[in-house]
């Protein structure tokens, strides 16, 4: 059976955390510091962003569906002497009190929510949870054409404690607008002897900037600011990430 983020939580800092080519963490820390107010991070994972917000002295909380990722976050927070205000929660079923100055939906989390009703439920909850004048910030991968892969292709080999972590991947269409991403993690010992293998399968639905804007407008938000690859500017064909900040429409 394919694994989940619980199974790869211990790999994450060597894996996806190192795959982000931009300093989105500094971007979010600066944005939250400028806007002020309490911060909610959706999909906080093992604390890649949340721990830096807390280290900066910001009043921030996080939610994530993975117990394994949250366990890693708590372990890392304790090592820094930080309190870890987090809860295990489905981001499409948010049960929190309103009053957040900033709500973050980072690292293309929204593309992992493949059902329209779940997306609208998330957006409605975000609007409800914002304090007056608060901002909801969403980012997403800029969609690219996908070439179906029949075989796993190597992604990287990286040191992992006394071992080596080797990841390979294949991507295949999973229906209209959906991509099935299969990742294979192999922990290798001396002479590349296989110590452990974990396979993970995810389905994502890439969302174009215009579609993301339209969904936010339909949910009752008004745009405030946009960024490409976490910086100012206009759309470029080479951009990998689109980020938008919105506020709840008055009335």
């Amino acid at each position: 059976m394919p694994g989940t983020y619980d199974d790869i939580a211990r790999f994450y800092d060597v894996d996806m955390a190192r795959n982000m080519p931009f300093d989105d963490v500094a971007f979010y820390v600066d944005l939250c510091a400028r806007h002020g107010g309490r911060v909610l991070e959706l999909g906080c994972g093992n604390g890649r962003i949340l721990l830096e917000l807390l280290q900066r002295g910001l009043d921030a909380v996080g939610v994530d569906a993975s117990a394994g990722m949250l366990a890693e976050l708590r372990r890392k927070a304790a090592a820094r002497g930080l309190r870890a205000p987090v809860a295990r929660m489905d981001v499409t079923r948010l049960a929190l009190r309103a009053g957040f100055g900033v709500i973050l939906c980072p690292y293309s989390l929204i593309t992992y929510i493949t059902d329209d009703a779940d997306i609208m439920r998330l957006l409605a909850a975000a609007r409800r949870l914002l304090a007056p004048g608060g901002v909801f910030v969403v980012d997403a991968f800029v969609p690219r054409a996908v070439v179906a892969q029949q075989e796993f292709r190597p992604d990287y080999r990286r040191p992992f404690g006394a071992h080596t972590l080797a990841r390979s991947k294949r991507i295949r269409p999973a229906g209209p607008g959906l991509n099935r991403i299969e990742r294979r993690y192999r922990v290798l010992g001396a002479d590349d002897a296989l110590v452990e293998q974990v396979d993970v399968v995810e389905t994502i639905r890439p969302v174009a900037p215009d579609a993301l804007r339209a969904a936010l407008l339909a949910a009752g938000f008004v745009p405030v600011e946009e960024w490409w690859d976490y910086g100012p500017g206009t759309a470029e064909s080479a951009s990998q990430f689109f980020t938008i900040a919105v506020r709840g429409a008055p009335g």
Side-chain angles (χ1 to χ4, degrees):
M1 291 290 291
T4 66
Y5 274 86
D6 289 342
D7 299 292
I8 64 170
R10 61 208 153 97
F11 302 151
Y12 192 84
D13 284 339
V14 176
D15 179 38
M16 297 181 195
R18 286 181 53 185
N19 292 342
M20 167 57 80
F22 307 100
D23 193 356
D24 61 329
V25 176
F27 168 83
Y28 282 119
V29 171
D30 179 68
L31 183 149
C32 293
R34 285 190 289 109
H35 278 278
R38 199 173 193 210
V39 180
L40 169 63
E41 184 189 356
L42 306 177
C44 63
N46 76 343
R48 191 177 69 91
I49 297 170
L50 184 65
L51 291 177
E52 297 305 320
L53 297 174
L54 296 171
Q55 193 76 58
R56 180 75 174 264
L58 299 174
D59 182 7
V61 299
V63 298
D64 199 279
S66 169
M69 292 288 275
L70 292 177
E72 283 292 299
L73 187 155
R74 293 187 180 100
R75 179 187 63 78
K76 291 163 60 177
R80 294 193 188 193
L82 296 172
R83 187 175 64 91
V86 295
R88 187 180 181 194
M89 194 177 296
D90 183 338
V91 297
T92 68
R93 302 289 193 278
L94 292 171
L96 298 166
R97 291 183 179 179
F100 292 98
V102 183
I103 299 177
L104 303 179
C105 187
Y107 212 170
S108 209
L109 172 65
I110 199 163
T111 67
Y112 293 83
I113 304 171
T114 59
D115 182 80
D116 284 334
D118 281 341
I119 288 179
M120 296 311 293
R121 191 176 292 111
L122 166 61
L123 299 185
R127 187 178 178 197
R128 173 180 60 82
L129 293 174
L130 281 175
V135 294
F136 180 41
V137 187
V138 188
D139 79 22
F141 303 121
V142 177
R144 295 284 184 265
V146 173
V147 178
Q149 302 168 2
Q150 296 304 314
E151 304 296 333
F152 281 89
R153 298 181 181 178
D155 270 342
Y156 63 72
R157 290 171 59 97
R158 293 172 182 165
F160 180 62
H163 299 104
T164 297
L165 181 66
R167 192 183 86 172
S168 56
K169 178 178 64 186
R170 68 179 172 186
I171 304 174
R172 295 185 285 182
L178 300 175
N179 295 329
R180 174 186 170 95
I181 303 177
E182 301 171 60
R183 298 185 181 92
R184 174 163 294 164
Y185 296 87
R186 301 175 78 235
V187 179
L188 306 174
D191 300 321
D192 280 356
L194 181 63
V195 176
E196 181 183 6
Q197 178 172 305
V198 179
D199 288 351
V200 175
V201 177
E202 295 181 302
T203 300
I204 69 167
R205 183 170 66 171
V207 54
D210 283 346
L212 181 53
R213 292 187 189 99
L216 290 164
L217 288 172
F221 289 103
V222 294
V224 175
E225 195 169 358
E226 296 181 356
W227 302 266
W228 298 88
D229 291 342
Y230 307 101
T234 57
E236 298 179 7
S237 59
S239 295
Q240 296 182 48
F241 289 88
F242 169 71
T243 308
I244 182 169
V246 295
R247 286 195 175 97

